[in-house]
């Protein structure tokens, strides 16, 4: 991580304040690795985050310009910003699952509908962990959290036929992938494709939270236990079986197939402006 | 100078364009919809962008994003939408993002009557977001022409103070047709008192100084200045910090950058028959002030010693205008009396502060004259069915 940290991160913010054993750092590194492999420099990217563990831990780490939006609204902010920035400037958002799939889902759907050129990396710790460990919209059925003490029994967004990635695909997202933290270079590969797509890309990254999710569901804060628990429930798409909770890989790649939000709007504005000037 | 018979919405649109606004995001809501429509027509002609948000919360966040990218931005709504601004409003105040927000008041609470004017958001414009620890700037026009002037002024103040500025209008102003003059060049703009402040870029590393200074360039993202902004308490460089002392500095700045430079806002009062120390001063803002002015002039002609004070900006509140221990009457477009509470707070203990208000319609001149007479005679304001209520 050192060469990535030296190149891209602020010393003031490293090491992060995430709990020992937290998988968030691995996800963060996968994004930085993708940025590095694409040859992007600090000035090429504006980094946005939001709330919760993902927001607090990734805000201000990027050496360049950055922001953290309020609960779930970062997609609307980023769309406004997208219209103001030059098209070659990348906007990368590292957000949490509550922010993206709960409070922010409406704004995310509209970011997908309009195909705004944003790369959204959803760091999913399987619930609301920065508030102590409550269930979220991707918490697996049957698992225990502080607000699902009898096991999660609410319908959620990772069930067969109700996958949030399906919702986003139908809403118009042009690149969608899912990974777990342990996917390494496969995850980095997907994030690279996401950044390269001129449109709304989202990579859903499940990561282990030993402090809250692990301790409630597995009864231990031992990092290895929760890492193994997630690993056992994930498999690459082509090898996914009936017990697979998280099939990993690229779900939908329609990169560069649809007009991008800001370029499209600016083109139309220019047309109207010219007509008005005549 | 071009003259039009047009609405306040038209005046706001043209004022915003003159002030350099090139981004508008809104969400349809009566009676602010026409302003969004006017913007969708006019902005692209000027190379600007109009976006319809998926809701009001998104609309203001879109504006914030655009402002963070360097645009002068504006949004407009009515009460039920203004309350959805509460979330982004705090972010814009905390991150010190210049922005103009129009609230065209209608009768509430909630959806109330969509097509009738109201002034139920006097306090909501003072505390438009959670948490407190800030000061707000709110301008309150009472005519279409003045709305244009105040829109230009709002952009000017937003830039200098680095904060969202609200224009609290009401449905009568935004939808009413009036004679409007639009300046066509810089000379005419100057003549009309229109002053434009440019958009600048803060190059850091200090983005949030713990001082009351104004004219500090705002944060602009995408210039590789290392700019940071978030919803957390910031350090001077913009890092998030959980320290009360840092927050004290932050709050000091948010409050006193406005309070200590009030003179920039404060040319904005209108006084009618106030020179000879009237026994009764009638206080109002927005459209009721137009009826009040006529009523006060009529009352003078009838020998009543009455004056009128119209607040053209309501926040920060001009306490000093109420330092004389006399009789005050607040006339509002609501039933619960909001401005009156602030006047009562600011006035000396031995002052008499009265209230009359209706919602959804302007008071009649006859009713106002009757009320003036009763107060001057020392009689209590009786309850007249649902029409008038002693406060
Ligand atoms: S609470 Fe969980 S997700 Fe949050 S920082 Fe700690 S280990 Fe990571």
């Amino acid at each position: 991580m050192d060469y990535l940290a030296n190149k891209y991160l602020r010393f003031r913010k490293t090491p992060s304040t995430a709990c020992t054993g937290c998988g968030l750092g691995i996800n963060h590194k996968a994004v930085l690795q993708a940025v590095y492999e694409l040859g992007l420099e600090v000035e090429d990217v504006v980094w946005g985050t939001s709330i919760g563990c993902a927001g607090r831990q990734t805000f201000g780490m990027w050496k360049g310009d950055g922001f953290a939006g309020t609960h779930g609204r970062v997609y609307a902010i980023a769309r406004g910003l997208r219209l103001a920035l030059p098209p070659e400037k990348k906007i990368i958002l590292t957000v949490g699952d509550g922010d993206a799939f709960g409070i922010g889902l409406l704004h995310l759907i509209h970011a997908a509908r309009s195909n705004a050129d944003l790369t959204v990396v959803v760091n999913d710790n399987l619930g609301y962990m920065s508030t102590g460990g409550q269930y979220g919209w991707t918490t697996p059925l049957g698992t225990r959290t502080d607000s699902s003490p009898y096991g999660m029994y609410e319908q959620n967004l990772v069930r067969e036929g109700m996958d949030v990635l399906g919702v986003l695909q139908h809403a118009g997202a042009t690149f969608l992938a899912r990974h777990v933290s342990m996917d390494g270079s496969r995850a980095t590969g997907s994030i690279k494709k996401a950044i390269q797509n001129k449109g709304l890309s989202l990579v859903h990254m499940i990561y282990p939270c030993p402090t809250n999710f692990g301790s409630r569901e597995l009864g231990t804060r031992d990092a290895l236990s929760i890492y193994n628990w997630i690993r056992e429930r994930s498999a690459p798409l082509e090898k996914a079986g009936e017990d697979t909770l998280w099939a990993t890989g690229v779900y939908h790649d329609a990169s560069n197939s649809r007009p991008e939000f800001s370029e499209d709007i600016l083109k139309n504005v220019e047309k109207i402006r010219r007509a008005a000037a005549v | 100078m071009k003259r039009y018979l047009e609405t306040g919405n038209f005046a706001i649109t043209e004022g915003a364009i003159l002030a350099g606004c090139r981004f508008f995001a809104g969400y349809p809501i009566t009676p602010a919809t026409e302003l969004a429509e006017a913007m969708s027509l006019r902005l692209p002609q000027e190379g600007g962008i109009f976006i319809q948000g998926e809701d009001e919360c998104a609309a203001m966040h879109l504006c914030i994003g655009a402002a963070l990218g360097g645009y002068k931005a504006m949004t407009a709504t009515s009460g039920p939408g203004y309350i959805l601004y509460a979330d982004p409003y705090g972010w814009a105040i905390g991150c010190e993002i210049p922005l103009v927000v129009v609230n065209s008041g209608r009768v509430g609470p909630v959806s109330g009557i969509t097509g009738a004017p109201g002034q139920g958001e006097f306090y909501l414009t003072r505390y438009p977001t959670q948490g407190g620890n800030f000061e707000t700037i709110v301008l309150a026009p009472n005519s279409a022409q003045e709305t244009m002037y105040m829109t230009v002024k709002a952009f000017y103040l937003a830039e200098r103070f680095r904060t969202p500025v609200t224009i609290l209008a009401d449905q009568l102003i935004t939808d009413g047709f009036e004679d409007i003059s639009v300046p066509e060049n810089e000379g005419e703009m100057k003549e009309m008192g229109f002053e434009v402040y440019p958009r600048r870029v803060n190059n850091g590393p200090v983005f949030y100084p713990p001082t009351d200074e104004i004219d500090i360039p705002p944060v602009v993202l995408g210039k590789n200045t290392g700019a940071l902004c978030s919803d957390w308490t910031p350090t001077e460089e913009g890092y998030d910090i959980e320290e009360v002392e840092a927050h004290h500095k932050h709050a000091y700045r948010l409050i006193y950058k406005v309070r200590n430079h009030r003179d920039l806002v404060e040319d904005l009062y209108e006084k009618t028959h106030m020179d000879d120390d009237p026994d009764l001063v009638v206080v109002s803002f927005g459209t009721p002030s137009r009826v009040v002015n006529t009523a006060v002039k009529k009352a003078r002609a009838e020998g009543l010693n009455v004056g009128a004070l119209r607040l053209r900006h309501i926040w920060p509140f001009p306490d000093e205008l109420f330092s004389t221990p006399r009789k005050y009457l607040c006339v509002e477009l609501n039933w619960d009396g909001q401005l009156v509470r602030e006047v009562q707070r600011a006035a000396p203990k031995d002052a008499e502060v009265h209230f009359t208000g209706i919602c959804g319609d302007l008071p009649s001149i006859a009713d106002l004259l009757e009320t003036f007479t009763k107060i001057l005679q020392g009689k209590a304001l009786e309850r007249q069915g649902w029409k008038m209520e002693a406060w």
Side-chain angles (χ1 to χ4, degrees), chain A residues 10 12-13 42-43 46 49-52 55-56 59-60 62-71 73 76-77 79-81 83-85 89 106-107 110 113 261 265-266 269 272-273 276, chain B residues 23 44-49 51-52 54-55 57-58 61-62 64-66 68-71 87-88 91 220-232 235 237-242:
Chain A
R10 296 180 197 236
R12 168 94 181 247
K13 292 285 284 188
V42 168
E43 61 270 24
V46 173
T49 68
S50 56
I51 47 151
R56 201 75 199 230
F59 172 65
W62 181 249
K63 238 182 214 167
D65 299 357
F67 63 101
T70 51
H71 315 60
R73 317 302 177 196
I77 296 171
R79 276 211 297 147
L81 185 62
L83 288 161
L85 295 188
K89 207 61 95 171
L106 171 72
H107 305 304
H110 284 275
R113 169 191 59 77
F261 168 65
I265 285 190
L266 291 169
V269 165
I272 298 166
R273 195 189 63 79
Chain B
F23 190 94
Q45 296 172 353
E46 303 291 333
I49 295 171
I51 293 282
Q52 191 162 299
E54 52 270 25
D55 59 20
C57 184
H61 275 105
L62 280 155
I64 286 177
L68 274 173
Y71 274 111
D87 176 350
W91 207 70
V220 175
L221 298 178
K223 307 277 182 200
N224 201 34
T225 56
L228 288 178
C229 57
S230 78
D231 47 335
W232 296 294
T235 63
E237 301 87 7
Y239 294 103
D240 54 316
I241 188 166
E242 294 245 353

